Amino acid sequence: MSALLEIIGVNKRFGGVHAVHNLSLTVQDGEILGLIGPNGAGKSTVFNVINGVYPPDQGRVVFKGRDITGEPPYRIARCGVARAHQIVQPLTNMTVLENCTVGACFGRENLSLQRAREVVREAAEVVGLADRLHDLAGKLTTAGKKRLELARALSARPELLLLDEVLAGLNPTEIERMIAVIRRIRDRGIAILMIEHVMRAIMSLSDRVVVLNVGGKLAEGTPQSVVSNPDVITAYLGEPETAAARGES
């Protein structure tokens, strides 16, 4: 598989805090890469560097062979990168259809309004909101708003989807349903880079996992090799028995 995204020697500081330190990683076409680590490890900063919220102090971000380092978020969205945030902020007084149409109109393709609505209906079907298109976003449950966040990102027709703790706040049943949704997204050929603390999801979804700690890469490999790594257990997962339980739960 060819590299879709390359992060090359990225550094990002905030004053005296070295949030990301000399980080390099790749996301391949069609794969799911899990990005895990303790709170404060630099995971969300990596996402912010990728999609243009912060420029890196050093290093490069390359997408499909094009250097997108420091480009503003709207240009990166046009390149084919979309993001679903942990804290959802839907346009509460607009319908599901209208929320997602915003994503479609400002995504990878310069869609007409009619075509954008067709794309939105496809995305809503994927995430399980096809019957809620005309409901106000503010009326959705927490799980529904999480699905809306995914649908809005999907409506941008990305080639790479950044998922920032989309399972946070969901109950076990909702988590299983969302895992199935993420699999359906990958089956459509969309590569996924996901930050997640729910190890059940990381273990079942990820082709590879990168572990961050204090801004740097601690480990990289298959999910099973990563959760068995003594350094990862010490820094993030805890005692071996706890790590095993989290990996199997």
Side-chain angles (χ1 to χ4, degrees):
M1 293 186 294
S2 60
L4 181 68
L5 175 75
E6 297 177 87
I7 297 174
I8 306 166
V10 162
N11 286 271
K12 184 62 185 177
R13 288 182 178 271
F14 298 98
V17 177
H18 208 160
V20 179
H21 177 63
N22 196 30
L23 179 66
S24 296
L25 60 82
T26 62
V27 180
Q28 308 295 334
D29 278 318
E31 82 165 336
I32 297 179
L33 178 66
L35 187 62
I36 67 173
N39 291 330
K43 305 182 296 297
S44 291
T45 301
V46 171
F47 270 26
N48 286 331
V49 167
I50 293 170
N51 83 316
V53 176
Y54 305 137
D57 298 323
Q58 293 175 302
R60 296 191 299 140
V61 179
V62 178
F63 183 68
K64 295 177 62 180
R66 172 184 170 185
D67 193 329
I68 61 170
T69 309
E71 293 278 358
Y74 75 90
R75 287 187 182 167
I76 291 174
R78 288 291 192 197
C79 290
V81 180
R83 179 175 179 177
H85 293 79
Q86 175 187 358
I87 300 174
V88 297
Q89 293 183 315
L91 303 166
T92 56
N93 293 322
M94 295 171 63
T95 66
V96 169
L97 176 63
E98 291 165 338
N99 268 266
C100 295
T101 299
V102 173
C105 288
F106 293 94
R108 181 166 59 93
E109 301 172 357
N110 188 22
L111 299 176
S112 68
L113 191 57
Q114 179 178 351
R115 178 59 183 141
R117 287 172 175 162
E118 292 172 359
V119 167
V120 167
R121 289 185 173 90
E122 294 172 11
E125 186 70 36
V126 171
V127 306
L129 285 178
D131 60 343
R132 306 296 300 273
L133 281 171
H134 300 291
D135 292 353
L136 290 176
K139 299 291 186 181
L140 298 177
T141 63
T142 297
K145 289 173 183 174
K146 292 276 188 176
R147 288 172 183 263
L148 173 57
E149 184 76 4
L150 273 182
R152 186 164 56 182
L154 272 183
S155 295
R157 297 182 70 81
E159 295 174 81
L160 173 64
L161 182 58
L162 308 178
L163 301 183
D164 192 350
E165 294 192 48
V166 296
L167 305 182
L170 301 182
N171 66 40
T173 299
E174 292 163 346
I175 286 173
E176 289 303 322
R177 291 173 179 164
M178 191 67 88
I179 287 173
V181 168
I182 294 170
R183 286 200 180 100
R184 289 199 293 272
I185 293 170
R186 197 264 293 273
D187 289 345
R188 295 169 68 88
I190 299 170
I192 296 171
L193 176 57
M194 61 183 296
I195 297 172
E196 195 50 70
H197 287 294
V198 178
M199 290 304 296
R200 177 166 78 253
I202 288 291
M203 296 297 292
S204 65
L205 290 170
S206 302
D207 298 297
R208 295 183 297 121
V209 177
V210 170
V211 186
L212 297 186
N213 191 39
V214 292
K217 186 191 295 184
L218 180 64
E220 180 176 3
T222 65
Q224 195 55 54
S225 69
V226 163
V227 298
S228 302
N229 184 310
D231 293 334
V232 176
I233 292 169
T234 299
Y236 180 51
L237 296 176
E239 295 301 318
E241 296 82 1
T242 304
R246 291 179 70 178
E248 296 169 1
S249 62

